[in-house]
Amino acid sequence: MGNKSSRLGGKREDTPSNPSRLSRFRRHFRSDVHQSVSDPHLSRILTAEDLAGVARIEITGADMTFKDRWLACLSLGERTYRTEISDHTDKPVWKSEKKVILERDGPHIARISVFETNKLSRNNLVGYCEIDLLEALSLGTEKRLTVLSLFDPSSPSTLVGSLSISCYMEDPIEIEKGFARRVLAVVDYNDDGKLTYDEFNALVNAFGNQVAALKKEELFKLADSNVDGVVDIDELATLLSSEQEEESLISNCPVCGESLGKYDRMNDIIHLTLCFDEGTGNQIMTGGFLTDMQASYGWMFKLSEWVHYSSYDIGLKFGSSASHILVFDRRTRRLVEEIIDEKIVLSMRAIYQSKVGFKLIDRGAKDLLKKISESQGTRMNSAESANEIHKFIDFFKDQINVDEIKKPIDSFKTFNEFFIRELKPGARTIALKEHDEIAVCAADCRLMAFKSVNDSLRLWIKGRKFSVQGLLGVDLCTNAFTEGSLVIFRLAPQDYHRFHVPVSGTIESFTEISGSLYTVNPIAVNSRYCNVFTENKRTVSLISTYKFGKVAFVAIGATMVGSITFSKKKGDCVHKGDEFGYFSFGGSTVICMFEKDCIDIDEDLIANSERSLETLVTVGMTLGKLKKSSEYQLT
């Protein structure tokens, strides 16, 4: 999904006219690698080799198909920014800009979302586009206006308008001059663009550096290169650049007060130039948001969520804070918020995150959940249930791509037919399909991956009595599984609900285990009062492979899941990526257990899981590779 203007194509390397400037910029700020970061503008401490460039993005305006009051959000990685709300029009104008730092190995696909505003509730997402900023940087420092198509979130083949933006690389020399210009303006009392000695004296004092304060006269003479008794912008820029290499003149950021000099000159200048953008100017986009959904909330919803606002954070939350679920989209490398009906969230918190709620489950609610699931399964197989399909798609706008579905929406006779929908051939690419030493993701899902079961218990599964033996059953549990790796594929209701085999091999056995039907939502999985994975109804399949030994594939039922259906049978030979089965209506989960020392799970999946952050993946994406010392023979 997404699009690129023809202007934004091209190579990702620096253009021939730019290397000297960018190289000079990097030489100025070259330093050692640091291990941690507290700067709110940066995801980590950068080295000169990390820096791809500084992109300046201006969202100029849009051309929409109807009139309303509009806002736009720009998301990159784990940060989102928003414009002001436009006038009531079909041609909103924002002229709102943001400067972002691009890392060579960091997120580079920026998403721009356009919302129509609603004062009383959440604003409505109408269209979006995506732009590869690394490709845009190849255009160099010339500002160009580009028109991008806005796509319907539910049907990316449908256009809903267009967006005008400019995106260009900021000249490194101009970054320094621009920073100097803003620093100078802090104490340029007569607004003539030059500093007298008294103004320069006030500036050095404002920097908070005692060493610099003791040699103000020397610094003023050093800066006043043309000896005219004043320091202009170019002279101040030169001083700041040269002196900062020797010893930082600025101890604290004049805008936010952040201590500087903790890392290196490059990271300081990045902080300062971004902070000045945040703290000054009339058309700078508002930051501080994690997702575009959070940035777009209307005031009434903000008011209702005020008590739980701290729940907007990355990682695991418990109790009353377990309301908003953030996941990391692996394709775009940005945070997205999972949509759940607020009433359902409140009921789940009441049941699964409190002792009182869970006592109700112990006193008969387990049977009630089974009856509800059976009743819902029957209802979703009725002809009347087909009326719910379009409502469902609309509620999960931006999370269901109808263009990928094999059959037309109106051809589904029941909701469950739609729920277990197939995708068009080629909608999912199986990574390195002929290489059986590479395992792939088994579902469109939110994924957690752990090198060991102990890691999963420490970071994610908070039930009191979870164990591999409890998950697999006594007969299938071996020491190799007990000490092995664990991957959780959580399917939300809006996901494609057919699951696929992650490895090539032979289906050795199926074992059905009866149980409850708790929800598999993290609010329940992370509850300290129940054990979703070991108490729910599930089927354990054992796959024997040439490469990974035995792999346990556990399909777990959940609240409102009518059934688990397999399309393969015992003794079948399967190839990774083959369809294995499907879940009927509701959310559900697959857990894969790999034997000890068999698989090296992809580092990005492990890194996110160590932050208690689920990764949004699709069928066929890489999961991990065979450990060189662990090749088995099929038995």
Side-chain angles (χ1 to χ4, degrees):
M1 294 189 296
N3 69 128
K4 296 190 286 262
S5 163
S6 59
R7 285 183 175 274
L8 299 178
K11 297 179 289 186
R12 295 188 177 183
E13 295 81 22
D14 302 321
T15 56
S17 59
N18 291 327
S20 59
R21 284 183 168 180
L22 191 53
S23 298
R24 176 181 168 187
F25 187 52
R26 290 177 179 148
R27 282 199 303 272
H28 276 323
F29 306 136
R30 189 173 299 280
S31 67
D32 294 331
V33 177
H34 298 273
Q35 298 301 318
S36 61
V37 62
S38 60
D39 194 316
H41 296 301
L42 301 172
S43 60
R44 62 191 179 97
I45 294 303
L46 300 179
T47 66
E49 288 72 24
D50 294 328
L51 181 67
V54 181
R56 184 179 287 275
I57 304 166
E58 180 185 282
I59 301 178
T60 306
D63 190 347
M64 308 303 296
T65 56
F66 60 93
K67 291 184 177 181
D68 209 322
R69 300 178 73 226
W70 305 89
L71 66 88
C73 295
L74 168 70
S75 297
L76 180 67
E78 297 182 9
R79 291 179 175 82
T80 294
Y81 313 92
R82 58 168 282 176
T83 67
E84 295 297 320
I85 297 175
S86 75
D87 295 332
H88 190 276
T89 178
D90 59 351
K91 292 179 172 57
V93 175
W94 297 292
K95 292 185 178 178
S96 192
E97 66 179 23
K98 186 65 193 175
K99 186 189 297 182
V100 295
I101 303 300
L102 290 183
E103 305 170 38
R104 292 205 175 277
D105 295 324
H108 54 88
I109 298 176
R111 173 181 165 119
I112 302 174
S113 305
V114 177
F115 294 81
E116 60 172 331
T117 63
N118 184 327
K119 291 184 178 180
L120 297 180
S121 64
R122 292 185 181 184
N123 296 318
N124 182 40
L125 176 62
V126 174
Y128 79 97
C129 60
E130 292 177 351
I131 177 173
D132 189 325
L133 293 179
L134 286 181
E135 292 184 0
L137 284 181
S138 68
L139 294 174
T141 59
E142 182 181 347
K143 183 176 180 178
R144 297 178 177 89
L145 187 67
T146 302
V147 178
L148 302 175
S149 297
L150 286 173
F151 296 119
D152 185 323
S154 296
S155 178
S157 63
T158 303
L159 301 184
V160 295
S162 61
L163 186 79
S164 299
I165 70 166
S166 62
C167 178
Y168 59 97
M169 178 177 175
E170 188 155 273
D171 188 317
I173 306 305
E174 287 303 313
I175 290 176
E176 293 187 83
K177 286 187 176 181
F179 168 63
R181 188 178 297 111
R182 285 172 173 168
V183 168
L184 182 146
V186 172
V187 291
D188 184 13
Y189 304 122
N190 58 3
D191 200 27
D192 64 353
K194 298 180 180 180
L195 298 183
T196 64
Y197 177 74
D198 288 339
E199 290 171 332
F200 184 82
N201 179 46
L203 181 62
V204 172
N205 290 337
F207 284 167
N209 188 307
Q210 295 301 315
V211 175
L214 294 175
K215 55 177 186 178
K216 286 177 284 193
E217 289 188 24
E218 177 185 339
L219 289 172
F220 185 80
K221 291 179 181 178
L222 183 63
D224 186 15
S225 58
N226 59 3
V227 198
D228 63 353
V230 292
V231 174
D232 61 25
I233 290 172
D234 290 337
E235 289 173 330
L236 182 60
T238 301
L239 174 71
L240 290 173
S241 178
S242 61
E243 284 298 304
Q244 290 289 99
E245 290 182 8
E246 302 292 331
E247 179 180 358
S248 177
L249 293 178
I250 308 176
S251 298
N252 299 93
C253 174
V255 178
C256 71
E258 178 81 14
S259 296
L260 303 175
K262 294 181 293 185
Y263 306 115
D264 55 60
R265 166 65 174 160
M266 181 178 75
N267 287 276
D268 282 351
I269 199 72
I270 288 172
H271 172 97
L272 288 165
T273 190
L274 292 181
C275 215
F276 268 101
D277 276 353
E278 294 277 352
T280 61
N282 297 322
Q283 298 297 329
I284 303 300
M285 279 184 254
T286 303
F289 305 104
L290 294 174
T291 69
D292 56 1
M293 187 182 296
Q294 181 193 355
S296 70
Y297 283 152
W299 74 272
M300 182 64 78
F301 186 79
K302 285 182 181 177
L303 183 65
S304 70
E305 285 295 304
W306 177 75
V307 176
H308 304 299
Y309 191 76
S310 63
S311 66
Y312 279 103
D313 200 359
I314 298 169
L316 192 57
K317 291 286 182 178
F318 298 105
S320 62
S321 293
S323 54
H324 297 282
I325 301 173
L326 299 184
V327 297
F328 188 83
D329 187 328
R330 195 184 199 187
R331 183 186 67 84
T332 62
R333 299 173 74 176
R334 70 184 182 97
L335 289 175
V336 297
E337 184 171 338
E338 184 171 330
I339 299 176
I340 310 175
D341 186 277
E342 289 82 16
K343 298 185 291 296
I344 294 176
V345 170
L346 289 172
S347 63
M348 284 194 294
R349 288 207 313 241
I351 294 173
Y352 294 101
Q353 292 283 338
S354 70
K355 290 182 180 179
V356 173
F358 203 73
K359 282 181 180 178
L360 295 176
I361 287 184
D362 283 338
R363 292 177 181 176
K366 291 181 180 180
D367 291 335
L368 179 61
L369 287 174
K370 283 187 177 181
K371 290 178 181 178
I372 291 173
S373 298
E374 290 169 0
S375 174
Q376 280 292 91
T378 299
R379 190 172 78 85
M380 290 305 171
N381 279 320
S382 68
E384 293 77 14
S385 66
N387 297 326
E388 303 295 321
I389 296 175
H390 286 287
K391 296 177 185 177
F392 187 84
I393 292 172
D394 188 59
F395 182 79
F396 289 111
K397 182 182 290 188
D398 194 32
Q399 299 193 29
I400 297 177
N401 181 358
V402 297
D403 293 344
E404 296 177 335
I405 301 174
K406 186 175 181 179
K407 296 180 179 179
I409 297 298
D410 293 336
S411 70
F412 295 111
K413 303 303 181 185
T414 68
F415 185 88
N416 213 23
E417 282 188 14
F418 162 75
F419 191 79
I420 61 173
R421 60 195 177 271
E422 295 179 275
L423 301 183
K424 294 176 181 176
R428 295 290 178 269
T429 301
I430 308 303
L432 300 167
K433 194 168 185 178
E434 303 307 317
H435 294 265
D436 288 344
E437 69 276 12
I438 303 296
V440 298
C441 295
D444 285 12
C445 65
R446 294 102 179 93
L447 179 148
M448 297 293 287
F450 305 98
K451 294 179 180 178
S452 70
V453 175
N454 286 338
D455 286 345
S456 71
L457 295 175
R458 178 170 55 88
L459 296 165
W460 192 248
I461 304 172
K462 299 301 180 181
R464 295 165 295 178
K465 300 176 182 178
F466 176 85
S467 67
V468 177
Q469 181 173 310
L471 176 70
L472 303 181
V474 177
D475 294 339
L476 296 180
C477 183
T478 64
N479 288 337
F481 280 136
T482 302
E483 299 177 12
S485 300
L486 178 148
V487 184
I488 304 169
F489 304 89
R490 178 175 68 88
L491 288 72
Q494 62 268 36
D495 289 327
Y496 162 66
H497 260 67
R498 291 178 181 256
F499 48 84
H500 296 242
V501 289
V503 292
S504 298
T506 300
I507 309 299
E508 185 176 300
S509 64
F510 289 96
T511 303
E512 293 188 7
I513 301 175
S514 61
S516 304
L517 287 174
Y518 298 136
T519 177
V520 293
N521 187 280
I523 291 175
V525 174
N526 299 325
S527 170
R528 303 181 192 278
Y529 309 115
C530 65
N531 301 287
V532 171
F533 297 142
T534 57
E535 294 184 45
N536 272 22
K537 170 186 174 181
R538 58 200 182 277
T539 300
V540 182
S541 311
L542 203 60
I543 306 173
S544 294
T545 78
Y546 283 106
K547 300 292 184 180
F548 293 97
K550 295 185 187 298
V551 176
F553 186 102
V554 187
I556 300 173
T559 306
M560 293 187 293
V561 174
S563 63
I564 305 169
T565 303
F566 286 90
S567 53
K568 302 294 182 183
K569 62 184 184 298
K570 179 179 178 180
D572 283 352
C573 292
V574 292
H575 197 276
K576 70 175 185 181
D578 288 350
E579 183 185 309
F580 198 13
Y582 57 84
F583 293 105
S584 295
F585 176 68
S588 36
T589 287
V590 167
I591 293 181
C592 283
M593 291 291 312
F594 289 85
E595 293 181 320
K596 181 181 179 181
D597 295 329
C598 284
I599 187 172
D600 277 322
I601 298 171
D602 290 349
E603 281 302 318
D604 65 313
L605 303 177
I606 293 293
N608 285 339
S609 300
E610 287 176 346
R611 303 165 65 198
S612 295
L613 177 65
E614 292 175 296
T615 304
L616 190 64
V617 300
T618 55
V619 169
M621 285 184 173
T622 61
L623 173 65
K625 62 183 178 181
L626 176 73
K627 282 194 174 181
K628 294 298 183 183
S629 59
S630 303
E631 188 160 345
Y632 289 76
Q633 291 297 316
L634 187 64
T635 58

